[in-house]
Amino acid sequence: SCARRKMNLKSERRGIHVDQSELLCKKGCGYYGNPAWQGFCSKCWREEYHKARQKQIQEDWELAERLQREEEEAYASSQSTQGAQSLTFSKFEEKKTNEKTRKVTTVKKFFTASSRAGAKKEIQEAKAPSPGIHRQASIETDRVSKEFIEFIRTYQKPGQDIYKQCKLFLDTMSHKRDLSIEEQSECAQDFYQNVADRLQTRWKVPPEKVEKAMDEVEKYIMTRQYKYVFCPETTDDEKKDLAVQKRIRALHWVTPQMLCVPVSEEIPEVSDMVVKAITDIIEMDSKRVPRDKLACITKCSKHIFNAIKITKNEPASADDFLPTLIYIVLKGNPPRLQSNIQYITRFCNPSRLMTGEDGYYFTNLCCAVAFIEKLDAQSLNLSQEDFDRFMTGQTSPKKQESDTFSPDVCLGVKQMCKSLDLLSQLNERQERIVSEAKKLEKDLIDWTEGITKEVEDIVEKYPLEIKPKSQALAAIDSENVENDKLPPPLQPQVYAG
C-alpha cells in the first residue's frame, strides 16, 4: 500500500511539476521570465519589443513609399478622362484597403496587442466611479503625494529633479490616454529606466538609495495612474478575469490529495497558515501600487512555505511549493486575478520582477494560473471519465476520512455537517438492518415451510396405524400356575417398644 501510494504521488506530481530552469528567461540571461512576456525577462522583452517595433516602422515606411509611388503613377495615367481617373482611383483605394487589411503588423502578431477600435469613445462613455470610491481614491492620492514630497526632501537636489521628472511624466501621460495599454506600459518602463539612470550617472546616488527612490517613484506615479491603467476597457483583461474565475469555480471539487499538496490542515497551526495565505492573495486586489501587490504575493508564498515546513517537519522544496500555491489559488479564487497579474507585469519596476524573491514568487503565481487553465485528468491522476463527471457536476469525489474542517468554518456549520454525516451513516445502517431483517424473516418462513413439507412427506410415507389394545401383561412368573395360591406379602409390623 505504501509503495502504491508513493507511485501515485509521483504520477500526480508529474502533472504539476515545473523545472526551475523553466522559470528563467528563455534567452538565457539568468533573470526570471514571465508568461506575459512570452517567457522573456523584462530586459530581453523590451529588446525584442524594440526590434519588432523598428521592423514595423521600417515596413510602414516602405508601404507608405510604395503607396505614394503607385498613387503618383495612377494620377499620371489618369489625366486623359475623368471616368478613367475615377475608375483608377477606385481601384487604387480598393488595393490600398486590401493592402492594409491583409497586413498583420509584426508587433500585433508577436505581442497580441488587445486595443480595440473606438477605445476613446468607450472611455468617454464609461460610467463614472461612485462618489464614495472617488473620494477614497482622492484621500489616498493626497496621502501618497504628501509622503512622496516628504521623502524627496531627504534627497535634496536629486529629490527636486526626481519630483520635476515625475510631474512631467504624469502630465505627459494625461495626454496619452488614447494610446494602447502596451504603449502606456512602454512609456512607464522607459520612465523608470531614465530616472534610475539619471540618479546613478548624473547625481551619483548609491545603488541602495536608488532602489529606495525608485520604490517611492513607483508608488507616487502608479497611485495617481491606477484608475486609468488597471483593467482598462480597451483590453480584454476583464474577459480573462471572468474566464479564470469560472474555471476555478468549475474546479471546486479538486482536493489536496489530487494535487499532492504536502499540507495537513488537521494541524491547527498549518490551518492558520493556509487561511492567512488565502487572505493575502485575495488582499492583492485591494492594493493600488504594483510593489504592494507583489508584497501580498510574497506574504502568501511565505505562509505556504511555513505550512509545508510544519507539516513535513523539514524545509519545503520548490516541487512542494507550486502544487500548494495552485491549491491556495483554487481555494481562494482571488478577484480580478488576470488583471492584477497584467497590471504588475505592465507597470511594476522591472528590476523587482527580474530578480529576488518577489520576482520568483510572481513567476510561480503566473505558472500556477497557467496550470489551472490547462489542468486535466492526467495531472490530477484521474481517469478521463471521472474528470468529466466532476467537471460537469454529475458527481463529486468521496470525502476522505482524513479531511477535517478548517478553523475559518463556523461552529454551527461544523456541527450541522457532522450531524448530516452521522444521519447519513445511521440511515445506511438502518437500511442494512431492515434488509437483513427481511432476509431473516424470509429464511424463517422458508425453513418452516420446509420442515412442514418434510413431516408431511414422512407421515405420507409411514402412515400411523392404531392397533387394538393388547392383554395386560402378567407378572414375570405368571407362567408358574401352581404358584397362584401364594400367601399375601408380609406387612410391616410396628414395634411398640
Side-chain angles (χ1 to χ4, degrees):
S1 176
C2 182
R4 186 167 63 253
R5 173 65 177 162
K6 288 182 179 178
M7 184 180 67
N8 288 340
L9 287 178
K10 286 182 180 178
S11 63
E12 288 174 7
R13 183 160 293 174
R14 187 178 64 247
I16 52 175
H17 170 74
V18 60
D19 292 330
Q20 293 304 295
S21 60
E22 296 178 23
L23 302 179
L24 299 176
C25 175
K26 66 181 183 182
K27 205 169 183 179
C29 64
Y31 294 122
Y32 291 122
N34 193 299
W37 295 327
Q38 307 295 325
F40 293 106
C41 69
S42 175
K43 183 172 176 290
C44 297
W45 168 257
R46 294 186 67 192
E47 290 176 358
E48 295 294 325
Y49 182 89
H50 282 301
K51 285 180 185 178
R53 191 165 64 174
Q54 289 301 321
K55 183 179 178 182
Q56 179 59 44
I57 291 173
Q58 182 64 29
E59 290 179 355
D60 287 346
W61 271 107
E62 292 174 359
L63 175 64
E65 290 176 357
R66 184 153 53 88
L67 290 175
Q68 178 69 22
R69 189 165 56 251
E70 291 176 358
E71 188 174 357
E72 290 173 357
E73 292 174 358
Y75 179 77
S77 63
S78 62
Q79 291 297 316
S80 56
T81 60
Q82 184 67 27
Q85 179 183 6
S86 190
L87 179 63
T88 307
F89 184 74
S90 63
K91 285 185 177 180
F92 165 72
E93 283 296 321
E94 181 181 355
K95 184 175 180 182
K96 186 176 179 180
T97 303
N98 291 338
E99 183 75 25
K100 288 185 177 180
T101 304
R102 186 171 65 251
K103 182 168 183 62
V104 179
T105 62
T106 308
V107 173
K108 283 188 177 180
K109 184 182 290 185
F110 189 79
F111 298 99
T112 61
S114 56
S115 58
R116 294 198 300 263
K120 192 171 183 180
K121 184 179 179 182
E122 288 181 11
I123 293 173
Q124 291 173 349
E125 293 177 354
K127 288 184 178 180
S130 64
I133 295 175
H134 179 71
R135 191 161 50 245
Q136 182 181 358
S138 300
I139 293 172
E140 186 174 354
T141 302
D142 292 342
R143 179 181 59 80
V144 170
S145 299
K146 289 178 182 178
E147 290 176 356
F148 183 64
I149 292 171
E150 290 296 324
F151 170 78
I152 60 173
R153 282 177 180 171
T154 62
Y155 278 63
Q156 298 178 350
K157 285 188 177 181
Q160 295 176 6
D161 188 29
I162 293 172
Y163 185 72
K164 188 185 297 183
Q165 295 295 325
C166 289
K167 296 293 286 183
L168 182 61
F169 171 76
L170 290 173
D171 184 58
T172 303
M173 292 299 292
S174 67
H175 296 93
K176 294 185 176 182
R177 300 277 183 246
D178 56 338
L179 293 180
S180 70
I181 196 65
E182 285 78 14
E183 291 173 308
Q184 293 185 58
S185 169
E186 185 69 12
C187 291
Q189 297 297 327
D190 288 339
F191 174 72
Y192 288 142
Q193 187 66 46
N194 292 336
V195 171
D197 291 343
R198 197 178 184 90
L199 287 172
Q200 288 175 344
T201 57
R202 179 177 178 179
W203 299 106
K204 310 298 181 185
V205 178
E208 63 275 4
K209 293 192 72 176
V210 171
E211 184 178 353
K212 179 65 177 173
M214 292 308 300
D215 287 342
E216 293 298 324
V217 167
E218 177 190 311
K219 182 179 179 181
Y220 174 64
I221 66 171
M222 293 317 302
T223 301
R224 301 176 73 93
Q225 291 289 305
Y226 179 78
K227 63 181 179 180
Y228 304 111
V229 297
F230 181 83
C231 192
E233 293 187 0
T234 54
T235 67
D236 57 354
D237 289 353
E238 185 177 3
K239 183 179 178 182
K240 291 179 180 177
D241 288 334
L242 295 174
V244 171
Q245 188 179 63
K246 184 178 179 181
R247 173 71 173 172
I248 293 176
R249 284 177 178 171
L251 292 166
H252 67 90
W253 48 267
V254 176
T255 63
Q257 289 76 19
M258 293 177 183
L259 292 168
C260 191
V261 174
V263 167
S264 175
E265 294 185 67
E266 295 178 5
I267 305 171
E269 192 175 357
V270 173
S271 183
D272 289 342
M273 293 291 178
V274 170
V275 172
K276 288 178 181 177
I278 293 173
T279 303
D280 288 331
I281 198 70
I282 291 175
E283 189 181 359
M284 173 177 65
D285 186 58
S286 65
K287 305 298 182 182
R288 303 179 72 182
V289 183
R291 181 168 61 93
D292 293 342
K293 292 182 183 290
L294 273 181
C296 291
I297 298 172
T298 300
K299 286 193 294 181
C300 167
S301 301
K302 288 184 175 180
H303 286 313
I304 290 173
F305 272 107
N306 288 334
I308 297 171
K309 183 179 180 181
I310 295 170
T311 302
K312 298 181 67 175
N313 201 21
E314 62 182 24
S317 67
D319 286 340
D320 294 330
F321 171 67
L322 185 58
T324 311
L325 179 61
I326 293 173
Y327 172 66
I328 293 297
V329 173
L330 287 176
K331 195 169 183 180
N333 198 355
R336 300 192 291 186
L337 184 55
Q338 283 286 10
S339 288
N340 281 287
I341 290 176
Q342 290 291 342
Y343 175 69
I344 293 171
T345 301
R346 292 165 181 157
F347 296 102
C348 184
N349 191 338
S351 62
R352 284 197 169 272
L353 300 184
M354 293 163 62
T355 58
E357 61 179 10
D358 286 345
Y360 174 75
Y361 294 137
F362 178 70
T363 304
N364 273 275
L365 177 63
C366 295
C367 289
V369 175
F371 273 118
I372 288 171
E373 289 175 341
K374 61 182 181 182
L375 211 58
D376 56 11
Q378 184 179 2
S379 58
L380 294 174
N381 199 32
L382 295 172
S383 66
Q384 190 62 45
E385 293 75 16
D386 287 343
F387 182 82
D388 292 339
R389 282 200 297 269
F390 296 157
M391 287 296 289
T392 55
Q394 294 177 2
T395 182
S396 60
K398 284 189 176 180
K399 186 178 178 182
Q400 301 293 323
E401 293 181 1
S402 60
D403 287 352
T404 56
F405 296 99
S406 56
D408 57 329
V409 178
C410 72
L411 190 61
V413 173
K414 289 183 184 179
Q415 190 61 43
M416 180 188 69
C417 291
K418 288 179 179 177
S419 299
L420 289 173
D421 191 31
L422 182 60
L423 285 172
S424 178
Q425 294 178 20
L426 290 173
N427 186 43
E428 290 178 4
R429 288 176 59 186
Q430 182 69 16
E431 289 178 355
R432 193 162 56 246
I433 290 171
V434 170
S435 176
E436 293 293 333
K438 289 181 178 179
K439 183 180 177 183
L440 178 60
E441 183 182 20
K442 185 176 182 301
D443 290 345
L444 286 173
I445 293 172
D446 292 344
W447 181 77
T448 304
E449 291 176 351
I451 294 297
T452 304
K453 190 173 185 307
E454 287 180 12
V455 170
E456 290 175 351
D457 291 344
I458 292 173
V459 169
E460 185 179 352
K461 188 174 181 181
Y462 305 102
L464 180 64
E465 294 181 3
I466 301 175
K467 297 181 180 180
K469 191 175 181 181
S470 60
Q471 297 290 333
L473 296 176
I476 199 166
D477 53 353
S478 60
E479 294 178 359
N480 302 329
V481 181
E482 61 272 9
N483 293 337
D484 288 343
K485 304 291 187 178
L486 289 175
L490 295 173
Q491 295 296 324
Q493 298 295 320
V494 180
Y495 174 72

